[in-house]
Amino acid sequence: METDRREFLMQASLAMLGAAAKPTLWAQTTPDVRLEIAPLKLEIAPKKIIHTVAYNGRVPGPLICWPEGKPITIDVVNRTDVPEIVHWHGLWIPSDQDGAMEEGSPMIPPGGQHRYSFTPRPAGFRWYHTHTFAGHDLKRGTYTGQFGCFYIEPKQSPGAYDQEIFLTLHDWNAYMGGGGDASMDAFYDYATINNRMLGHGDPIKVSEGQECFSACSTPVRPRPIG
Ligand SMILES: [Cu+2]
């Protein structure tokens, strides 16, 4: 609530400033992309339910397709009870927008919201994911469903193909186990391609239901369902 009040006061004073000096300051209030981090029960095969955390109620999170050189704003809402952060993997962007807390990007508190603004580059296939440390909790951080594809369409030679398919692989239900040499390592119960175990959905077909935020000219977006 305190954050809301502070944000309101800040917006109000900035709006006044905007009215006096720079009316274009508020040209964009709606983000290009909105990601909501929240707990999710994910059915990876009939009656096989994974309790995890994901973006917009999906695994992987929505596909982001963006033309090289075009600025983007991404609002992230944290609906979990721990601080979170989203890292834009492989992008050459300022460290305060990059989503790595150890490099200076802020954590998003439980119930909080944060806006990232940057111009994605270089072109090509990238991805985004949480940068929180799991520590001893193998249900957190990298072990969750917090990941998604980020495609940056090149200005030159965008490619002569009909459709691009985005597949993500993930292992679930991690636990620590011992190796024969007395070492400890993470083991997993299940693996999926996108959101389904092998044998429980065609990998290419399951990508078709993906949510997509796209400003690209090429048909990289998954076909809508139905
Ligand atoms: Cu990364």
Side-chain angles (χ1 to χ4, degrees), residues 87-90 127 129-131:
H87 172 57
W88 316 102
H89 185 111
W127 63 301
H129 62 94
T130 176
H131 224 248

Side-chain angles (χ1 to χ4, degrees), residues 83-189:
E84 267 302 343
I85 192 164
V86 182
H87 172 57
W88 316 102
H89 185 111
L91 301 192
W92 300 344
I93 53 175
S95 57
D96 63 340
Q97 302 296 319
D98 190 46
M101 58 284 184
E102 66 274 30
E103 304 286 343
S105 289
M107 294 300 292
I108 309 167
Q113 180 168 334
H114 182 71
R115 174 166 289 190
Y116 295 91
S117 302
F118 53 88
T119 302
R121 73 187 187 99
F125 173 68
R126 318 284 163 216
W127 63 301
Y128 61 95
H129 62 94
T130 176
H131 224 248
T132 54
F133 296 123
H136 291 288
D137 187 348
L138 304 190
K139 297 264 177 216
R140 282 200 64 193
T142 190
Y143 299 101
T144 69
Q146 292 176 84
F147 54 87
C149 299
F150 199 143
Y151 179 72
I152 302 159
E153 181 188 50
K155 273 188 192 149
Q156 311 290 332
S157 319
Y161 44 78
D162 297 326
Q163 191 189 2
E164 188 139 7
I165 309 272
F166 293 86
L167 300 176
T168 58
L169 278 69
H170 194 74
D171 294 328
W172 301 96
N173 285 9
Y175 58 93
M176 291 308 284
D181 58 356
S183 63
M184 294 290 281
D185 213 344
F187 292 83
Y188 302 86
D189 285 333

